[in-house]
Amino acid sequence: MVPGLLRNVFHMYESIDRVLKHYGGTVEVKGPWFAGMDFIITSDPMNVHHILSKNFFNYEKGSEIREILEPLGDGIINSDSDWWTFQRKTMHSIVKNSNFELFVEKVVRGKVVDGLIPFLDHISKLEIEVDLQEVFKRFTFDNSCLMVLGLDPVSLSVDFPKCKHAKAFDEIEEATIYRHILPKWCWKFQRWLQLGQEKKLRKAAWETFDGFLYQCISSKREELSR
């Protein structure tokens, strides 16, 4: 399985989709013996509901996964048991609120009108070639920041600026994937020596992105105190 994925690394999602269809929606992946990468992939809605909702308490992430996902903090992605239940109920009450739905619609519509459409018009007129994945990644990042932090980093604009915060978030994601792939002793050794992805992670998570979050919190507090 793993060699097949590596051969199709540049069209990974299509490859996984073919494998899942072949095996009826659920497949067990056996990774290299030294990496501890055995896992199960499922696209069956009933399985997803069973694992993430109906019987979630039977599928605890455990301390090892929490250590791997340490940069993501103690949010719902990285929590178990009662703490997960509390966060899920809190998030559910927010998401199901009609005011939140209106807020999301307003934010996304505003970013489409003021960000995405002007940008696409600009590159169309100049006949510039762009990476659409990068465009929509910035679109998503701006929307997420607006909804969660109340601040627009304006990473998607006509001048297509370098956005160190968005890049830092990408590096955090990449580093956590590496932690999944590499043996535990290997990435911990890299963290100790501050090499490779662990060095990038430290700069991205603990310096760049944390600084960005503190800046957003400080700005919001100042705004509310006026």
Side-chain angles (χ1 to χ4, degrees):
M1 177 69 184
V2 172
L5 291 176
L6 292 176
R7 284 196 303 271
N8 295 282
V9 68
F10 295 110
H11 40 94
M12 180 74 72
Y13 297 114
E14 293 87 348
S15 175
I16 293 174
D17 182 59
R18 287 196 300 270
V19 171
L20 285 170
K21 286 179 178 177
H22 179 75
Y23 287 100
T26 302
V27 61
E28 181 181 6
V29 179
K30 303 293 286 185
W33 63 269
F34 58 84
M37 273 185 63
D38 295 352
F39 55 92
I40 293 175
I41 302 175
T42 184
S43 60
D44 187 321
M46 294 297 291
N47 288 342
V48 174
H49 176 69
H50 175 83
I51 295 169
L52 296 183
S53 182
K54 189 176 180 181
N55 286 280
F56 179 80
F57 287 100
N58 291 336
Y59 299 91
E60 287 196 359
K61 301 177 184 74
S63 58
E64 188 171 337
I65 292 297
R66 283 196 294 273
E67 190 174 22
I68 289 173
L69 299 178
E70 172 199 12
L72 301 181
D74 296 321
I76 192 168
I77 294 175
N78 211 13
S79 58
D80 279 320
S81 305
D82 294 338
W83 181 232
W84 176 85
T85 302
F86 171 76
Q87 293 197 69
R88 183 175 183 272
K89 287 180 178 178
T90 303
M91 185 173 290
H92 190 267
S93 66
I94 294 172
V95 172
K96 289 298 181 181
N97 189 298
S98 58
N99 290 329
F100 179 77
E101 294 177 5
L102 293 172
F103 171 67
V104 171
E105 181 182 349
K106 179 182 177 181
V107 168
V108 175
R109 186 184 297 274
K111 180 52 65 173
V112 169
V113 173
D114 299 329
L116 184 60
I117 292 176
F119 176 79
L120 294 177
D121 283 343
H122 175 71
I123 63 171
S124 176
K125 289 175 183 176
L126 297 180
E127 298 183 350
I128 300 172
E129 184 177 304
V130 296
D131 182 350
L132 282 179
Q133 181 175 337
E134 178 65 23
V135 171
F136 284 103
K137 188 187 294 181
R138 289 174 179 239
F139 175 75
T140 303
F141 182 73
D142 284 355
N143 278 318
S144 299
C145 289
L146 277 165
M147 285 185 275
V148 177
L149 303 171
L151 184 144
D152 187 358
V154 199
S155 66
L156 179 60
S157 60
V158 171
D159 53 355
F160 215 56
K162 289 184 178 179
C163 184
K164 62 179 182 179
H165 312 119
K167 183 182 178 183
F169 191 76
D170 289 342
E171 288 177 346
I172 292 169
E173 288 184 324
E174 188 175 341
T176 55
I177 291 172
Y178 268 84
R179 284 187 174 188
H180 274 289
I181 296 172
L182 294 175
K184 186 176 181 179
W185 66 266
C186 185
W187 67 259
K188 281 200 166 187
F189 187 62
Q190 287 187 342
R191 183 175 65 181
W192 182 56
L193 294 177
Q194 281 301 289
L195 297 172
Q197 291 296 327
E198 290 298 315
K199 182 178 180 180
K200 288 184 179 180
L201 176 61
R202 179 177 180 178
K203 183 173 180 60
W206 314 135
E207 296 177 20
T208 305
F209 207 74
D210 269 9
F212 172 63
L213 293 177
Y214 291 140
Q215 177 190 345
C216 292
I217 293 170
S218 177
S219 298
K220 182 56 68 174
R221 282 177 174 170
E222 287 181 12
E223 181 184 326
L224 293 173
S225 65
R226 291 171 189 166

